[in-house]
Amino acid sequence: ALAGAVMGFPLMVRSIRLSIEAVDLRLEQAAGTLGASPRWVFAVVTLPLILPGLLAGAILAFAEALGEFGATITFAGRIQGRIEMLPLAVSLEIAGRPELAVALSLALLAISVVVLVSLRGRWLGGAATA
């Protein structure tokens, strides 16, 4: 988990940073001039505006951690029954039980398709409806 977090963190930070930079400061200033405290401005104005970036960053980090193979094998290894990662399980089962490796690969493919379909509006520029 730690190796996946380390590898996925830069994607999450970049997505969040870009969404924070896109917030119009005039909206925050307007809320401040209407008497809102800085915490209230963040909770009511800023957070809803950056929420898509937060979610996209979390999904990207999750997808990166799911697919990260090298960092997992280097830092965590594999302890049967305790540490099981799907990409590692596929590589270990491909020679012994290829039907299990195919089933695990299909599970990874299904997860990837769900992530891509849920984010389809992102790369289409918002043209597709969610």
Side-chain angles (χ1 to χ4, degrees):
L2 182 62
V6 167
M7 298 307 291
F9 192 69
L11 294 171
M12 186 170 177
V13 168
R14 180 171 168 80
S15 176
I16 293 171
R17 184 180 59 87
L18 290 173
S19 66
I20 289 173
E21 288 175 356
V23 173
D24 189 1
L25 293 177
R26 294 178 297 171
L27 295 173
E28 293 175 330
Q29 291 170 349
T33 60
L34 293 173
S37 68
R39 287 183 182 168
W40 187 253
V41 170
F42 178 78
V44 175
V45 177
T46 309
L47 190 59
L49 291 173
I50 66 171
L51 192 59
L54 289 171
L55 294 176
I59 291 170
L60 284 171
F62 174 74
E64 170 66 26
L66 186 64
E68 187 55 48
F69 181 78
T72 302
I73 198 94
T74 301
F75 294 114
R78 177 178 185 258
I79 301 171
Q80 192 166 359
R82 286 194 43 170
I83 300 174
E84 297 286 337
M85 300 290 289
L86 284 176
L88 184 57
V90 169
S91 71
L92 293 174
E93 297 295 340
I94 196 77
R97 297 187 292 179
E99 64 280 352
L100 180 59
V102 169
L104 293 172
S105 297
L106 291 175
L108 284 170
L109 179 65
I111 292 169
S112 300
V113 167
V114 167
V115 168
L116 290 174
V117 168
S118 67
L119 293 176
R120 71 185 182 275
R122 287 269 177 214
W123 68 79
L124 294 175
T129 57

